[in-house]
Amino acid sequence: MSRTRTLARDPLSPGLQAGMVQAGASVIALVPVLAGLDVSLAQWALVQGAIAMRIATLCGAPAWWPPLHLGFTPALVWAQGLAVAPLAWGAAFLALVAVYGSTLRTQVPLFLTARAVREALGVLLAPERGVRFIDLGCGLGTVIAALKRARPDCEFHGVELAPLPFLVSRWRGARAGCRIQRRDLMSIDLGQYDVVYAFLSPAPMPALWAKARREMRRGSLFVSLAFAVPGVEPHETIRVAPGERHTLYLWRM
Ligand SMILES: C[S@@+](CC[C@H](N)C(=O)[O-])C[C@H]1O[C@@H](n2cnc3c(N)ncnc32)[C@H](O)[C@@H]1O
């Protein structure tokens, strides 16, 4: 087994950093207005976006943030001019919060395991009977519901933090015979499971690996889709299809 390396974490979450960049740029962009220049809202938004992009670049934000900062406030101003009922904006905002709100804390957005990978997981389980399997961050419950249909002899559990995906997975899980809980995956005792499956992001992997090593039983299997544990060689790597998004990393504990 190779050594484990824990990466230093940023002191501020990306969401908070982005908020601070936007707030700072908004204040700086007010200077010409306070100096008495005649600036329209659209012009102010463009200047604000350019300043926000520059601040993000100077702060060393990952490559996708500066263009997002550039477009954020101009997009807000543009959207204000659309003939959309305020209630529709409110509903869209609430739906986004219910799906992605917890991402600000977890740094793990919702995206789904591809069908080909679900089938590969089924093949992995094939020789063993009565397996206890958990999907950490089960999203819409697609993985465990599909596996339960294929393998009714096994137990499939899921945990999900985001409210709307949890409700969907709960409904889907109930129909398929899976147990779904609204819990933080870091609060689950992994020692109860034969197979622990995670499709998350690079952010939680070091802490999750440390937890898996503490709690998982000898011989049980830790499987991560797309995200390897930094500095820890997997025992097996399965490329289901080209691209990282379809690569399974397996560690036999
Ligand atoms: C990339 S999605 C994967 C969804 C599903 N496992 C699949 O493969 O289709 C990751 C999910 O994990 C959830 N999640 C992230 N951090 C979590 C945490 N600490 N506790 C519970 N769920 C979490 C997110 O809300 C998101 O729905």
Side-chain angles (χ1 to χ4, degrees):
M1 175 74 58
S2 43
R3 75 200 163 89
T4 306
R5 183 162 53 96
T6 305
L7 296 179
R9 290 179 63 104
D10 283 341
L12 295 177
S13 75
L16 193 56
Q17 286 176 33
M20 288 171 69
V21 168
Q22 284 293 322
S26 301
V27 171
I28 297 171
L30 277 179
V31 171
V33 180
L34 295 176
L37 284 184
D38 187 15
V39 179
S40 72
L41 185 59
Q43 287 167 333
W44 176 83
L46 287 173
V47 171
Q48 192 273 0
I51 295 171
M53 181 173 80
R54 189 75 190 124
I55 297 177
T57 309
L58 289 175
C59 294
W64 57 88
W65 276 109
L68 289 178
H69 280 297
L70 175 67
F72 182 71
T73 303
L76 278 185
V77 171
W78 170 78
Q80 224 193 9
L82 297 179
V84 177
L87 213 58
W89 286 125
F93 176 73
L94 286 181
L96 283 174
V97 169
V99 177
Y100 292 109
S102 53
T103 306
L104 285 175
R105 178 163 78 78
T106 63
Q107 298 183 44
V108 183
L110 172 69
F111 37 97
L112 303 180
T113 296
R115 178 195 289 262
V117 177
R118 294 202 298 265
E119 286 166 5
L121 288 170
V123 173
L124 265 183
L125 295 181
E128 307 188 34
R129 297 205 65 77
V131 169
R132 298 193 89 205
F133 178 109
I134 185 162
D135 182 356
L136 297 177
C138 62
L140 304 180
T142 26
V143 172
I144 44 182
L147 288 174
K148 181 70 181 177
R149 273 193 296 278
R151 291 296 303 271
D153 61 297
C154 299
E155 261 182 66
F156 293 94
H157 295 177
V159 283
E160 176 54 53
L161 209 53
L164 199 53
F166 163 72
L167 288 176
V168 175
S169 62
R170 177 77 166 234
W171 170 78
R172 185 177 257 151
R175 284 159 54 105
C178 308
R179 186 158 68 93
I180 317 280
Q181 289 174 286
R182 178 139 194 260
R183 294 244 320 248
D184 190 317
L185 61 88
M186 294 304 282
S187 72
I188 298 294
D189 173 13
L190 301 180
Q192 315 166 50
Y193 297 99
D194 303 300
V195 181
V196 171
Y197 173 67
F199 178 28
L200 298 169
S201 81
M205 293 312 288
L208 180 57
W209 174 249
K211 177 177 169 64
R213 292 213 45 196
R214 273 196 314 273
E215 297 175 7
M216 286 180 71
R217 291 193 308 266
R218 180 180 284 270
S220 58
L221 192 62
F222 179 67
V223 184
S224 171
L225 174 60
F227 304 106
V229 179
V232 186
E233 264 318 292
H235 294 127
E236 198 181 343
T237 300
I238 302 175
R239 293 194 196 286
V240 178
E244 199 62 9
R245 188 94 197 256
H246 300 101
T247 300
L248 288 166
Y249 299 97
L250 277 65
W251 291 265
R252 187 62 76 175
M253 307 307 280

